[in-house]
PDB file of all heavy atoms in Angstrom:
ATOM      1  N   ALA A 525     -19.273  31.765  22.658  1.00  0.00           N
ATOM      2  CA  ALA A 525     -19.649  32.934  23.424  1.00  0.00           C
ATOM      3  C   ALA A 525     -20.452  32.446  24.652  1.00  0.00           C
ATOM      4  O   ALA A 525     -20.169  33.263  25.637  1.00  0.00           O
ATOM      5  CB  ALA A 525     -20.359  33.954  22.607  1.00  0.00           C
ATOM      6  N   SER A 526     -21.177  31.507  24.665  1.00  0.00           N
ATOM      7  CA  SER A 526     -21.906  31.151  25.818  1.00  0.00           C
ATOM      8  C   SER A 526     -21.102  30.411  26.895  1.00  0.00           C
ATOM      9  O   SER A 526     -21.642  30.026  27.932  1.00  0.00           O
ATOM     10  CB  SER A 526     -23.213  30.165  25.308  1.00  0.00           C
ATOM     11  OG  SER A 526     -22.596  29.022  24.714  1.00  0.00           O
ATOM     12  N   GLY A 527     -19.928  29.999  26.555  1.00  0.00           N
ATOM     13  CA  GLY A 527     -19.147  29.164  27.409  1.00  0.00           C
ATOM     14  C   GLY A 527     -19.109  27.728  27.051  1.00  0.00           C
ATOM     15  O   GLY A 527     -18.322  26.940  27.758  1.00  0.00           O
ATOM     16  N   PHE A 528     -19.863  27.319  26.168  1.00  0.00           N
ATOM     17  CA  PHE A 528     -19.895  25.951  25.858  1.00  0.00           C
ATOM     18  C   PHE A 528     -18.789  25.480  24.932  1.00  0.00           C
ATOM     19  O   PHE A 528     -18.281  26.238  24.162  1.00  0.00           O
ATOM     20  CB  PHE A 528     -21.304  25.548  25.144  1.00  0.00           C
ATOM     21  CG  PHE A 528     -22.459  25.503  25.922  1.00  0.00           C
ATOM     22  CD1 PHE A 528     -23.271  26.633  26.008  1.00  0.00           C
ATOM     23  CD2 PHE A 528     -22.724  24.460  26.687  1.00  0.00           C
ATOM     24  CE1 PHE A 528     -24.387  26.663  26.830  1.00  0.00           C
ATOM     25  CE2 PHE A 528     -23.879  24.378  27.438  1.00  0.00           C
ATOM     26  CZ  PHE A 528     -24.704  25.669  27.559  1.00  0.00           C
ATOM     27  N   GLN A 529     -18.191  24.291  25.295  1.00  0.00           N
ATOM     28  CA  GLN A 529     -17.201  23.749  24.267  1.00  0.00           C
ATOM     29  C   GLN A 529     -17.905  23.092  23.168  1.00  0.00           C
ATOM     30  O   GLN A 529     -18.709  22.191  23.283  1.00  0.00           O
ATOM     31  CB  GLN A 529     -16.433  22.705  25.216  1.00  0.00           C
ATOM     32  CG  GLN A 529     -15.219  21.999  24.260  1.00  0.00           C
ATOM     33  CD  GLN A 529     -14.123  23.140  24.150  1.00  0.00           C
ATOM     34  OE1 GLN A 529     -13.827  24.007  24.810  1.00  0.00           O
ATOM     35  NE2 GLN A 529     -13.473  23.085  22.991  1.00  0.00           N
ATOM     36  N   VAL A 530     -17.670  23.634  21.948  1.00  0.00           N
ATOM     37  CA  VAL A 530     -18.241  23.134  20.691  1.00  0.00           C
ATOM     38  C   VAL A 530     -17.110  22.496  19.824  1.00  0.00           C
ATOM     39  O   VAL A 530     -16.009  22.953  19.641  1.00  0.00           O
ATOM     40  CB  VAL A 530     -18.910  24.214  19.897  1.00  0.00           C
ATOM     41  CG1 VAL A 530     -19.474  23.685  18.603  1.00  0.00           C
ATOM     42  CG2 VAL A 530     -19.827  24.994  20.913  1.00  0.00           C
ATOM     43  N   VAL A 531     -17.528  21.179  19.424  1.00  0.00           N
ATOM     44  CA  VAL A 531     -16.608  20.532  18.597  1.00  0.00           C
ATOM     45  C   VAL A 531     -17.435  20.110  17.045  1.00  0.00           C
ATOM     46  O   VAL A 531     -18.578  19.647  17.184  1.00  0.00           O
ATOM     47  CB  VAL A 531     -16.054  19.202  19.105  1.00  0.00           C
ATOM     48  CG1 VAL A 531     -15.235  18.413  18.014  1.00  0.00           C
ATOM     49  CG2 VAL A 531     -15.340  19.447  20.347  1.00  0.00           C
ATOM     50  N   LEU A 532     -16.699  20.551  16.087  1.00  0.00           N
ATOM     51  CA  LEU A 532     -17.520  20.290  14.666  1.00  0.00           C
ATOM     52  C   LEU A 532     -16.468  19.479  13.895  1.00  0.00           C
ATOM     53  O   LEU A 532     -15.298  19.868  13.723  1.00  0.00           O
ATOM     54  CB  LEU A 532     -17.681  21.675  14.002  1.00  0.00           C
ATOM     55  CG  LEU A 532     -18.372  22.713  14.789  1.00  0.00           C
ATOM     56  CD1 LEU A 532     -18.481  24.072  13.958  1.00  0.00           C
ATOM     57  CD2 LEU A 532     -19.868  22.273  15.175  1.00  0.00           C
ATOM     58  N   GLU A 533     -17.029  18.431  13.231  1.00  0.00           N
ATOM     59  CA  GLU A 533     -16.196  17.617  12.382  1.00  0.00           C
ATOM     60  C   GLU A 533     -16.581  17.843  10.850  1.00  0.00           C
ATOM     61  O   GLU A 533     -17.748  17.714  10.695  1.00  0.00           O
ATOM     62  CB  GLU A 533     -16.285  16.129  12.730  1.00  0.00           C
ATOM     63  CG  GLU A 533     -15.440  15.294  11.912  1.00  0.00           C
ATOM     64  CD  GLU A 533     -15.250  13.934  12.487  1.00  0.00           C
ATOM     65  OE1 GLU A 533     -15.876  13.471  13.523  1.00  0.00           O
ATOM     66  OE2 GLU A 533     -14.666  13.074  11.782  1.00  0.00           O
ATOM     67  N   PHE A 534     -15.647  18.088  10.076  1.00  0.00           N
ATOM     68  CA  PHE A 534     -15.936  18.405   8.643  1.00  0.00           C
ATOM     69  C   PHE A 534     -15.324  17.400   7.728  1.00  0.00           C
ATOM     70  O   PHE A 534     -14.545  16.551   8.124  1.00  0.00           O
ATOM     71  CB  PHE A 534     -15.290  19.846   8.308  1.00  0.00           C
ATOM     72  CG  PHE A 534     -15.720  20.899   9.016  1.00  0.00           C
ATOM     73  CD1 PHE A 534     -15.216  21.341  10.291  1.00  0.00           C
ATOM     74  CD2 PHE A 534     -16.845  21.597   8.613  1.00  0.00           C
ATOM     75  CE1 PHE A 534     -15.653  22.357  11.009  1.00  0.00           C
ATOM     76  CE2 PHE A 534     -17.473  22.708   9.343  1.00  0.00           C
ATOM     77  CZ  PHE A 534     -16.882  23.033  10.624  1.00  0.00           C
ATOM     78  N   GLY A 535     -15.819  17.465   6.559  1.00  0.00           N
ATOM     79  CA  GLY A 535     -15.340  16.382   5.512  1.00  0.00           C
ATOM     80  C   GLY A 535     -14.159  16.715   4.818  1.00  0.00           C
ATOM     81  O   GLY A 535     -13.459  15.938   4.198  1.00  0.00           O
ATOM     82  N   ASN A 536     -13.865  18.112   4.863  1.00  0.00           N
ATOM     83  CA  ASN A 536     -12.601  18.646   4.183  1.00  0.00           C
ATOM     84  C   ASN A 536     -12.135  19.830   4.953  1.00  0.00           C
ATOM     85  O   ASN A 536     -12.750  20.504   5.761  1.00  0.00           O
ATOM     86  CB  ASN A 536     -12.944  18.961   2.749  1.00  0.00           C
ATOM     87  CG  ASN A 536     -14.013  19.934   2.543  1.00  0.00           C
ATOM     88  OD1 ASN A 536     -13.824  21.073   2.959  1.00  0.00           O
ATOM     89  ND2 ASN A 536     -15.120  19.519   1.875  1.00  0.00           N
ATOM     90  N   ALA A 537     -10.806  20.183   4.618  1.00  0.00           N
ATOM     91  CA  ALA A 537     -10.088  21.345   5.349  1.00  0.00           C
ATOM     92  C   ALA A 537     -10.752  22.657   4.911  1.00  0.00           C
ATOM     93  O   ALA A 537     -10.796  23.654   5.721  1.00  0.00           O
ATOM     94  CB  ALA A 537      -8.689  21.251   4.819  1.00  0.00           C
ATOM     95  N   GLN A 538     -11.306  22.801   3.597  1.00  0.00           N
ATOM     96  CA  GLN A 538     -11.764  24.127   3.162  1.00  0.00           C
ATOM     97  C   GLN A 538     -13.028  24.382   4.120  1.00  0.00           C
ATOM     98  O   GLN A 538     -13.169  25.701   4.389  1.00  0.00           O
ATOM     99  CB  GLN A 538     -12.205  23.993   1.773  1.00  0.00           C
ATOM    100  CG  GLN A 538     -12.797  25.308   1.209  1.00  0.00           C
ATOM    101  CD  GLN A 538     -13.220  25.198  -0.253  1.00  0.00           C
ATOM    102  OE1 GLN A 538     -13.096  24.191  -0.878  1.00  0.00           O
ATOM    103  NE2 GLN A 538     -13.771  26.230  -0.820  1.00  0.00           N
ATOM    104  N   ALA A 539     -13.973  23.559   4.265  1.00  0.00           N
ATOM    105  CA  ALA A 539     -15.072  23.825   5.087  1.00  0.00           C
ATOM    106  C   ALA A 539     -14.775  24.210   6.552  1.00  0.00           C
ATOM    107  O   ALA A 539     -15.254  25.138   7.058  1.00  0.00           O
ATOM    108  CB  ALA A 539     -16.047  22.618   5.042  1.00  0.00           C
ATOM    109  N   MET A 540     -13.692  23.493   7.025  1.00  0.00           N
ATOM    110  CA  MET A 540     -13.294  23.763   8.423  1.00  0.00           C
ATOM    111  C   MET A 540     -12.702  25.143   8.459  1.00  0.00           C
ATOM    112  O   MET A 540     -12.960  25.854   9.425  1.00  0.00           O
ATOM    113  CB  MET A 540     -12.268  22.724   8.797  1.00  0.00           C
ATOM    114  CG  MET A 540     -11.750  22.930  10.235  1.00  0.00           C
ATOM    115  SD  MET A 540     -10.298  21.769  10.590  1.00  0.00           S
ATOM    116  CE  MET A 540      -9.093  22.367   9.570  1.00  0.00           C
ATOM    117  N   GLU A 541     -11.888  25.613   7.506  1.00  0.00           N
ATOM    118  CA  GLU A 541     -11.289  26.890   7.497  1.00  0.00           C
ATOM    119  C   GLU A 541     -12.358  27.822   7.351  1.00  0.00           C
ATOM    120  O   GLU A 541     -12.151  28.917   8.018  1.00  0.00           O
ATOM    121  CB  GLU A 541     -10.235  26.953   6.333  1.00  0.00           C
ATOM    122  CG  GLU A 541      -9.079  26.031   6.541  1.00  0.00           C
ATOM    123  CD  GLU A 541      -8.085  26.500   7.690  1.00  0.00           C
ATOM    124  OE1 GLU A 541      -7.989  27.735   7.977  1.00  0.00           O
ATOM    125  OE2 GLU A 541      -7.439  25.625   8.253  1.00  0.00           O
ATOM    126  N   GLU A 542     -13.322  27.770   6.653  1.00  0.00           N
ATOM    127  CA  GLU A 542     -14.378  28.803   6.386  1.00  0.00           C
ATOM    128  C   GLU A 542     -14.994  29.010   7.787  1.00  0.00           C
ATOM    129  O   GLU A 542     -15.235  30.306   8.107  1.00  0.00           O
ATOM    130  CB  GLU A 542     -15.322  28.262   5.366  1.00  0.00           C
ATOM    131  CG  GLU A 542     -14.919  28.433   3.928  1.00  0.00           C
ATOM    132  CD  GLU A 542     -15.764  27.690   2.850  1.00  0.00           C
ATOM    133  OE1 GLU A 542     -16.914  27.299   3.209  1.00  0.00           O
ATOM    134  OE2 GLU A 542     -15.298  27.642   1.716  1.00  0.00           O
ATOM    135  N   ASP A 543     -15.436  28.064   8.444  1.00  0.00           N
ATOM    136  CA  ASP A 543     -16.020  28.171   9.635  1.00  0.00           C
ATOM    137  C   ASP A 543     -15.040  28.787  10.813  1.00  0.00           C
ATOM    138  O   ASP A 543     -15.316  29.581  11.581  1.00  0.00           O
ATOM    139  CB  ASP A 543     -16.604  26.991  10.281  1.00  0.00           C
ATOM    140  CG  ASP A 543     -18.135  26.770   9.698  1.00  0.00           C
ATOM    141  OD1 ASP A 543     -18.524  27.459   8.879  1.00  0.00           O
ATOM    142  OD2 ASP A 543     -18.600  25.677  10.234  1.00  0.00           O
ATOM    143  N   GLY A 544     -13.728  28.337  10.647  1.00  0.00           N
ATOM    144  CA  GLY A 544     -12.765  28.950  11.453  1.00  0.00           C
ATOM    145  C   GLY A 544     -12.607  30.419  11.336  1.00  0.00           C
ATOM    146  O   GLY A 544     -12.389  31.132  12.317  1.00  0.00           O
TER     147      GLY A 544
END
Side-chain angles (χ1 to χ4, degrees):
S526 62
F528 286 99
Q529 183 68 35
V530 179
V531 174
L532 308 174
E533 184 167 354
F534 298 90
N536 60 61
Q538 180 181 1
M540 181 185 68
E541 292 290 334
E542 287 173 4
D543 277 2

